[in-house]
């Protein structure tokens, strides 16, 4: 993986793991003498910390509607309330908003006023997890970088809803009600900079069509996928992390070199119906195959290169890079064949 992709991926991990700390606190730009003023204009239902005057904390307040947001606010936290509607009125002065957290409310599509979200021209992060949405809200602001819609009731993705979201790097749709019919060949058109796509815990039976070419992380756990189409990953040549745990993949559903893809570093196929280890690429570093139906390991088939060549070269330059192999929950009896250890000389852990 090139340096640019690795840097971008590292940044995405940081954003996902420490959300609130990724917010750029700009209070240094504000005059401390005016902090009392900032506090006085704070909605009475909310909290405006003096040392973070661009933030508005209205979470866990039992609110049924969004209060008026002051013009200075960049980050608004409204999670864990009883909000049903998102109207234009509270956002009239909030022209600098970067971040809105509306997780765990009671918002429906009909409760979102038409065009209210697209008018937030500077919005980067929109969190609408754990609500009652039945489709992806539209239209959305073209500035968005992250859209989180997990744990709703989404079964429909309106045509063209993502077409102008060129800045979006992360789209989370996991644990919704998406069927294969909801993902058309042009559904993700326009997401030219998408890095992470999460469609886990839906009702897919097929691999989704036309994944954006720059996708690095593809999460499809807990669906009912049975087949990997021939050359499927050639259309997403940068995919690095691939999760297909808890599906219905069998040996017949995987092409001969379906996962022999040089870009994939982490491959997760746990809780499927495999009876043998599929061919892998020498670049793969982590392989999860636990809780399948594998009875034995054929070292000749699993090794990406000839073991004889490995012994002759005696160098670590071109040997397989596998470091972690998980095989527990199968029918394999230890010990691991010696040839496996000869092939994968960088192995640090084998779980069996």
């Amino acid at each position: 993986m090139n340096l640019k992709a690795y840097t971008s991926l590292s940044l995405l991990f940081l954003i996902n793991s420490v959300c609130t700390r990724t917010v750029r606190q700009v209070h240094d730009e504000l005059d401390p003498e005016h902090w009392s003023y900032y506090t006085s204009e704070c909605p009475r239902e909310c909290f405006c910390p003096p040392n973070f005057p661009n933030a508005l904390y209205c979470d866990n307040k039992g609110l049924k509607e969004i209060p008026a947001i002051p013009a200075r606010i960049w980050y608004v936290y409204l999670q864990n309330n009883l909000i049903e509607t998102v109207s234009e009125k509270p956002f009239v002065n909030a022209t600098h908003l970067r971040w809105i957290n509306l997780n765990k409310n009671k918002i429906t599509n009909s409760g979102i006023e038409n065009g209210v979200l697209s008018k937030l021209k500077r919005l980067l992060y929109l969190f609408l997890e754990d609500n009652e949405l039945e489709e992806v809200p539209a239209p959305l602001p073209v500035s968005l970088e992250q859209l989180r819609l997990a744990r709703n009731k989404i079964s429909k993705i309106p045509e063209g809803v993502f077409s102008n979201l060129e800045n979006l790097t992360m789209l989370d749709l996991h644990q919704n009600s998406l069927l294969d019919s909801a993902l058309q060949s042009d559904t993700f058109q326009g997401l030219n900079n998408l890095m992470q796509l999460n469609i886990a815990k839906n009702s897919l039976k097929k691999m989704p069509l036309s994944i954006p070419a720059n996708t690095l992380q593809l999460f499809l756990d807990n669906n009912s996928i049975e087949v990997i189409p021939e050359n499927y990953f050639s259309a997403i040549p940068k995919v690095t992390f691939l999760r297909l745990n808890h599906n219905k993949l069998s040996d017949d559903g995987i092409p001969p070199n379906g996962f022999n893809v040089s870009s994939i570093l982490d491959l997760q196929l746990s809780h499927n119906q495999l009876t043998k280890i599929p061919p892998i690429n020498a670049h793969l570093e982590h392989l999860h195959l636990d809780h399948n139906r594998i009875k034995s390991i054929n070292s000749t088939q699993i090794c990406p290169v000839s073991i004889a060549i490995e012994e002759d070269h005696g160098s670590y330059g071109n040997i397989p890079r596998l470091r972690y192999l998980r095989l527990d929950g199968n029918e394999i009896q230890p010990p691991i064949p010696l040839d496996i250890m000869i092939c994968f000389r960088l192995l640090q852990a084998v779980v069996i």
Side-chain angles (χ1 to χ4, degrees):
M1 183 164 51
N2 61 41
L3 181 58
K4 182 178 180 181
Y6 181 82
T7 303
S8 299
L9 187 60
S10 299
L11 177 60
L12 186 62
F13 278 148
L14 182 61
I15 289 172
N16 287 342
S17 60
V18 199
C19 289
T20 56
R21 295 187 181 182
T22 60
V23 177
R24 288 172 292 174
Q25 298 187 8
V26 295
H27 57 266
D28 290 338
E29 301 175 8
L30 301 170
D31 188 347
E33 294 181 2
H34 298 302
W35 283 353
S36 60
Y37 165 73
Y38 296 137
T39 303
S40 66
E41 70 164 355
C42 184
R44 61 183 178 81
E45 309 96 325
C46 308
F47 172 62
C48 300
N51 62 337
F52 194 4
N54 292 102
L56 180 64
Y57 289 88
C58 309
D59 52 307
N60 297 286
K61 302 294 184 181
L63 300 179
K64 294 186 177 181
E65 57 183 38
I66 299 172
I69 301 172
R72 62 184 169 81
I73 297 300
W74 284 26
Y75 316 105
V76 59
Y77 299 86
L78 291 157
Q79 67 269 27
N80 294 301
N81 282 294
L82 303 171
I83 297 168
E84 297 181 357
T85 60
V86 181
S87 62
E88 185 175 347
K89 186 178 178 180
F91 299 99
V92 169
N93 296 318
T95 57
H96 296 284
L97 276 181
R98 305 292 200 272
W99 177 299
I100 300 176
N101 190 333
L102 279 161
N103 291 345
K104 295 187 178 179
N105 279 284
K106 298 182 179 297
I107 299 167
T108 61
N109 287 93
S110 60
I112 301 176
E113 187 175 332
N114 187 37
V116 61
L117 297 174
S118 62
K119 292 178 181 179
L120 303 174
K121 303 295 185 181
R122 301 185 182 184
L123 193 66
L124 302 179
Y125 306 97
L126 177 57
F127 298 74
L128 281 165
E129 298 178 346
D130 296 285
N131 278 280
E132 298 178 14
L133 299 173
E134 295 183 351
E135 60 182 71
V136 175
L140 293 164
V142 298
S143 54
L144 272 187
E145 294 183 1
Q146 286 196 26
L147 177 59
R148 299 179 185 240
L149 299 169
R151 294 178 299 277
N152 277 275
K153 304 173 183 178
I154 295 173
S155 61
K156 181 181 179 182
I157 300 178
E159 185 177 356
V161 67
F162 302 127
S163 60
N164 294 319
L165 302 187
E166 293 189 0
N167 296 311
L168 200 71
T169 59
M170 198 273 274
L171 174 59
D172 191 346
L173 287 162
H174 88 268
Q175 202 165 331
N176 277 285
S177 302
L178 292 171
L179 299 170
D180 296 318
S181 57
L183 304 180
Q184 300 299 314
S185 60
D186 59 352
T187 296
F188 302 112
Q189 186 175 349
L191 299 179
N192 298 328
N193 290 297
L194 195 71
M195 295 168 59
Q196 184 187 102
L197 178 59
N198 191 340
I199 327 178
K201 295 188 176 181
N202 278 278
S203 300
L204 304 180
K205 294 183 178 180
K206 300 177 181 179
M207 295 292 284
L209 301 171
S210 301
I211 300 297
N214 285 318
T215 302
L216 297 174
Q217 302 176 10
L218 179 58
F219 303 150
L220 292 164
D221 315 73
N222 293 90
N223 281 284
S224 298
I225 296 170
E226 299 179 354
V227 176
I228 306 295
E230 190 83 34
N231 299 319
Y232 181 84
F233 299 106
S234 62
I236 42 176
K238 297 181 181 180
V239 63
T240 305
F241 294 84
L242 178 62
R243 291 198 332 221
L244 280 160
N245 303 320
H246 293 276
N247 277 281
K248 296 182 179 180
L249 289 170
S250 64
D251 302 329
D252 293 337
I254 300 175
N257 284 296
F259 295 119
N260 187 0
V261 181
S262 61
S263 65
I264 299 178
L265 302 184
D266 190 298
L267 176 59
Q268 300 191 18
L269 297 169
S270 305
H271 294 272
N272 278 279
Q273 300 170 12
L274 303 175
T275 64
K276 59 184 179 181
I277 298 175
I280 59 175
N281 192 271
H283 290 89
L284 188 68
E285 296 183 2
H286 296 85
L287 178 59
H288 299 247
L289 286 165
D290 54 286
H291 297 91
N292 277 273
R293 301 174 182 176
I294 301 170
K295 296 182 179 181
S296 62
I297 304 174
N298 187 320
S299 55
T300 303
Q301 291 179 351
I302 186 178
C303 190
V305 299
S306 168
I307 293 177
I309 293 176
E310 289 238 341
E311 292 175 333
D312 289 343
H313 282 212
S315 168
Y316 287 92
N318 298 313
I319 66 173
R321 301 177 187 176
L322 194 67
R323 289 172 167 79
Y324 180 87
L325 176 60
R326 183 170 177 183
L327 291 165
D328 55 304
N330 284 284
E331 301 175 32
I332 302 170
Q333 297 297 320
I336 293 290
L338 179 60
D339 285 352
I340 293 294
M341 309 310 293
I342 294 175
C343 173
F344 300 109
R345 301 184 190 183
L346 301 181
L347 263 179
Q348 297 174 354
V350 180
V351 183
I352 190 170

